[in-house]
Amino acid sequence: MAAETSAFDVVIVGGGTAGLVVASRLSEDPSLQVLVLEAGLDLPQMPEKLMQAVLTPASNTQLYKTPVNWDLKTIPQANLGDRELSFPQGKMLGGSSGLNGLSFTASAKAVVDGWAELGNPGWEWPAFSQSLAQTYTVAKAPPLVAKPSSNQGPLQVWADTIESLGFPGAQDTFTGQAAGGLMIPDTVDPAMGIRSYAANACLSPEVRGRANLTVRTGVEVKKVLLKKPSRSEPDGDAVATGAELTDLTTGATTAVTARREVVVAAETFGSPKLLELSGIGDTRRLGVDHVIVDAPGVGENLQNHPITTVSFEVADAAPPTKDAFLRAALRQDEQVLGGPMKEYMEHRTSLFASSGGTKELEGLLSTIESSPREAFAVAHERFVRAILSSRSEASGFYIFGPAYAAFTPDGTGALPPMDGSEDSYITVILMLAHPLSRGSVHVIGAGADQTLAIDPGFLSHPLDLEIMARHVQFIEQGLAATEPLAKWLKPDGRRAVGAPKAGALKDLEDQAVGAHHFTGS
């Protein structure tokens, strides 16, 4: 419910997942006046077709070239053949939770405990897992913790193959275990059959009706207003007093006052951008005349998972895949799509209702020379080394898909073969679980030429490239050669265009892209 005032106790910049969680929790206290400022639109403000694409689980890729996506790109990546990579970032109330792939994957216990060991007491797994359990509701527990019921489907073949390699075939993702097969749930409201995301999960009708919560969409915050330390206390702290914002429809610029706090929750890229534009950042980068608070860490430590795909053509006798459905979607074939779409619209089911050796290692680790670095980087590398040396933790994350999947050089999804063939595929999407490469995101230029330089530094740490290549080698020579998966693959069958060859470092430099999991900064 909108309040007719320009002064609030708490002003939250960014109506994505983090911002809406904070807004929902803080507004439980009726004595606090809370304001959320979001550049994108709320669901009812969108055109009908766009609104339906947000809500339909299988339609997330249709949102990438629309007004609900910031449509960002990196600077040329030196270790990826100087390619610029595009990636989606949600520009709507709910943020990227409104256009992501819906997979809900909990962190591994070792990762959470690693956070605590890096100097964050209270973040140990026992406390974290209790808090995590309050953020979700599992609609149907048995399918998440049991192997797929069909004894012929692709997922069953995948689970059995993992078990043949000595790992659990299917585990509950919420146990904290990472090695082996994980059954990953989709963030779908089971009662409605629609996407469950921050805007409809955190802002229920009851929350939206609170008299002390105001949500403004279509406004972009230009800077946080800061009260500088007084001359009598030059070493005192600057105080955030509000925000300056522009209405994206009218162009009018106004200000709001925060009586208590300003919360910056504008995601991995918007937050450092806003801080630097407000005078919070590294004096050496921005210049002493433009800095109110010297904070060298702003925009640094940007990180993301490098990712690639390995596809295999399946034999004629293999379980059915989703390739025929995907080709029909590209052709807009109503004869194929009409039934599933009608079923989804009437019953919220169908395909539209879901997203779809130790000694050698020691030698490899010893080749990474130590050099003077920040304490955090040293501690993080120690953690990654421990993960790589463990037989019970995962250094790579494989996503199995019963269909063709590949990427174009700019990181966007590649189309399946449309040459008239009806070949079917299975794909293993590989992500490096714990990359050591780090990058940055900073505002560069001035005035009309001002832009955001996003540099993830993909594969800039030599160990990342080596470990990723060994995972590709394992997929090719381990997984694909293990029963029962091996018998479903066509000998000398077709592969995804540009798929990396087993263990080929140069192929990864030419073919790897980035996941949509940016963090840090």
Side-chain angles (χ1 to χ4, degrees):
M1 182 178 293
E4 296 297 328
T5 180
S6 61
F8 299 83
D9 295 301
V10 180
V11 174
I12 301 171
V13 182
T17 302
L20 295 187
V21 169
V22 172
S24 177
R25 296 291 178 86
L26 288 181
S27 62
E28 291 175 357
D29 181 351
S31 69
L32 288 178
Q33 289 291 328
V34 179
L35 170 67
V36 177
L37 299 172
E38 166 58 40
L41 300 178
D42 194 3
L43 195 67
Q45 299 169 319
M46 300 177 191
E48 175 68 21
K49 186 176 181 179
L50 187 58
M51 180 177 68
Q52 289 300 327
V54 171
L55 293 177
T56 303
S59 298
N60 64 300
T61 56
Q62 297 179 19
L63 301 170
Y64 289 174
K65 296 297 181 180
T66 71
V68 300
N69 178 21
W70 285 102
D71 197 20
L72 303 176
K73 66 169 52 179
T74 70
I75 65 171
Q77 292 298 284
N79 298 290
L80 296 181
D82 284 330
R83 287 180 288 136
E84 295 181 349
L85 302 181
S86 300
F87 58 93
Q89 197 76 8
K91 184 182 180 182
M92 68 180 97
L93 193 65
S96 293
S97 71
L99 55 62
N100 64 18
L102 291 95
S103 296
F104 189 92
T105 307
S107 295
K109 178 179 181 298
V111 173
V112 176
D113 287 340
W115 296 343
E117 292 171 5
L118 287 173
N120 301 285
W123 281 88
E124 296 84 359
W125 176 258
F128 174 84
S129 59
Q130 289 183 14
S131 296
L132 178 67
Q134 299 176 26
T135 67
Y136 64 86
T137 299
V138 177
K140 296 179 180 179
L144 300 179
V145 298
K147 292 168 62 174
S149 57
S150 169
N151 60 5
Q152 296 182 341
L155 293 181
Q156 181 68 52
V157 172
W158 177 248
D160 288 345
T161 302
I162 292 173
E163 287 190 352
S164 296
L165 290 165
F167 298 98
Q171 305 173 92
D172 181 355
T173 186
F174 303 113
T175 63
Q177 302 303 311
L182 295 173
M183 301 301 293
I184 306 300
D186 280 349
T187 53
V188 174
D189 183 332
M192 302 289 291
I194 61 175
R195 175 190 292 270
S196 176
Y197 70 118
N200 58 14
C202 299
L203 297 184
S204 65
E206 180 274 324
V207 175
R208 287 176 181 261
R210 292 173 182 169
N212 63 325
L213 176 62
T214 301
V215 178
R216 290 190 61 185
T217 55
V219 292
E220 186 172 2
V221 175
K222 297 299 185 179
K223 64 179 178 179
V224 176
L225 301 175
L226 298 173
K227 181 181 179 181
K228 299 179 181 180
S230 64
R231 292 184 178 180
S232 60
E233 296 183 13
D235 295 329
D237 293 330
V239 177
T241 61
E244 181 181 287
L245 55 134
T246 297
D247 187 301
L248 296 180
T249 300
T250 67
T253 297
T254 56
V256 292
T257 299
R259 290 185 287 261
R260 294 181 60 170
E261 291 194 37
V262 175
V263 178
V264 177
E267 43 79 16
T268 305
F269 307 104
S271 293
K273 174 185 176 181
L274 179 60
L275 292 175
E276 289 188 339
L277 293 177
S278 304
I280 303 173
D282 188 352
T283 301
R284 295 169 298 179
R285 173 179 294 277
L286 302 177
V288 65
D289 293 336
H290 297 91
V291 172
I292 299 173
V293 178
D294 184 27
V298 171
E300 294 298 309
N301 195 43
L302 180 66
Q303 51 192 285
N304 191 12
H305 300 118
I307 186 173
T308 192
T309 63
V310 183
S311 293
F312 301 89
E313 185 182 359
V314 301
D316 294 339
T321 68
K322 294 184 178 181
D323 290 284
F325 178 80
L326 294 179
R327 289 191 181 96
L330 290 170
R331 294 192 299 261
Q332 292 295 298
D333 187 338
E334 290 299 324
Q335 186 175 355
V336 176
L337 299 180
M341 179 53 76
K342 182 174 184 292
E343 180 183 343
Y344 175 74
M345 295 304 294
E346 293 179 356
H347 306 291
R348 297 303 185 188
T349 56
S350 85
L351 289 170
F352 286 100
S354 62
S355 60
T358 306
K359 288 186 178 180
E360 185 180 14
L361 176 62
E362 290 174 353
L364 179 63
L365 292 174
S366 68
T367 64
I368 306 304
E369 297 181 359
S370 298
S371 59
R373 288 162 294 163
E374 295 180 0
F376 173 80
V378 174
H380 182 257
E381 184 170 304
R382 187 186 309 120
F383 165 75
V384 173
R385 286 170 180 262
I387 293 292
L388 294 177
S389 303
S390 172
R391 293 182 178 273
S392 60
E393 300 299 334
S395 60
F397 187 53
Y398 302 172
I399 304 174
F400 175 78
Y404 180 96
F407 295 106
T408 61
D410 71 350
T412 55
L415 299 178
M418 298 294 287
D419 54 6
S421 67
E422 295 299 324
D423 301 331
S424 295
Y425 296 82
I426 64 99
T427 299
V428 180
I429 302 172
L430 162 65
M431 288 192 298
L432 192 63
H434 301 287
L436 285 165
S437 301
R438 292 291 181 270
S440 63
V441 50
H442 292 291
V443 176
I444 58 173
D449 296 326
Q450 195 172 71
T451 186
L452 200 59
I454 301 172
D455 180 13
F458 285 122
L459 302 184
S460 57
H461 195 294
L463 189 60
D464 288 354
L465 180 59
E466 186 69 43
I467 294 299
M468 196 168 183
R470 289 172 185 247
H471 274 292
V472 174
Q473 188 175 56
F474 175 72
I475 292 171
E476 293 267 9
Q477 301 174 3
L479 272 172
T482 301
E483 297 294 351
L485 179 61
K487 70 179 180 182
W488 296 117
L489 304 183
K490 183 178 290 187
D492 301 319
R494 299 176 71 181
R495 306 294 300 278
V497 176
K501 296 180 178 65
L505 301 184
K506 179 59 178 173
D507 283 356
L508 282 174
E509 293 172 345
D510 292 338
Q511 301 299 331
V513 297
H516 304 157
H517 305 156
F518 286 96
T519 187
S521 77

